[in-house]
Amino acid sequence: MFQNCESLITTPELPNGLGAAASQYMFQYMFAGCTSLKKPPKMPTGTTLGAYCFQYMFAGCSSLEETPSLPWTTLATRCYLRMFQNCSSLKKVTGGLPATTLASYCYNLMFLGCYSLEEAPELPATTLQEYCYQYMFANTAIRKSPKLPATTMKSYCYDHMFSGCREIV
């Protein structure tokens, strides 16, 4: 919708009242490449996400400093895939990531290349799906791993999660 609108600094209000679920592909690439965007819009309400619904939504928004609140508790395949990739000014994950029901690839590459992100949000899920956290925080400035309470894990769930995080101890 607004992909590569490099001068966009204010976002329109997103539709609310989505009911329980955000539809598949609904907001993908919506603000990707909007390099002047500093503040995200308020996200719609709901509890469940459709597959791919927010993939690449803010990718390449190099001025974005914080994420919108992402309150969903039930995720779908690739719903947050590369959502904030290369948001190099991103410093804060607003409201954390409260999801407890994950899907394969749901957080895959979500913060890849967010070089200013120093603190990882809490990740409360105890059952992990394939590739769910793969490369999630790769190439960020994360200094400390969050607690990882998972007790049931599928293949590659933590694959390269902190790859390239040179500050982590």
Side-chain angles (χ1 to χ4, degrees):
M1 182 177 226
F2 297 100
Q3 186 175 6
N4 296 321
C5 290
E6 294 176 356
S7 298
L8 183 72
I9 56 173
T10 305
T11 62
E13 190 172 319
L14 297 180
N16 209 350
L18 298 176
S23 297
Q24 189 169 324
Y25 299 104
M26 183 174 274
F27 299 105
Q28 74 170 352
Y29 292 99
M30 183 174 255
F31 301 108
C34 294
T35 55
S36 298
L37 186 64
K38 288 186 178 186
K39 186 176 179 192
K42 182 179 178 188
M43 299 299 271
T45 58
T47 55
T48 304
L49 299 181
Y52 308 94
C53 62
F54 293 119
Q55 75 172 354
Y56 293 95
M57 186 175 186
F58 297 100
C61 291
S62 55
S63 297
L64 191 69
E65 296 177 353
E66 65 183 72
T67 69
S69 179
L70 302 171
W72 293 276
T73 56
T74 301
L75 305 184
T77 299
R78 292 178 169 89
C79 61
Y80 292 141
L81 176 73
R82 298 178 187 258
M83 187 174 186
F84 300 103
Q85 180 180 340
N86 295 329
C87 291
S88 55
S89 298
L90 190 71
K91 295 177 183 169
K92 181 180 180 186
V93 179
T94 305
L97 298 172
T100 52
T101 303
L102 305 186
S104 60
Y105 297 93
C106 59
Y107 288 120
N108 188 264
L109 302 150
M110 187 175 186
F111 298 104
L112 174 70
C114 293
Y115 302 115
S116 299
L117 185 62
E118 295 181 354
E119 186 176 341
E122 183 180 338
L123 302 170
T126 57
T127 300
L128 305 183
Q129 301 302 321
E130 297 88 358
Y131 301 98
C132 60
Y133 293 140
Q134 184 185 42
Y135 289 99
M136 184 177 185
F137 298 111
N139 298 329
T140 64
I142 298 287
R143 298 179 186 276
K144 180 180 162 190
S145 171
K147 290 181 182 174
L148 302 172
T151 54
T152 304
M153 296 166 267
K154 294 211 175 160
S155 300
Y156 303 101
C157 58
Y158 290 123
D159 185 43
H160 292 91
M161 186 175 183
F162 296 101
S163 180
C165 292
R166 295 187 171 103
E167 303 295 324
I168 204 163
V169 290

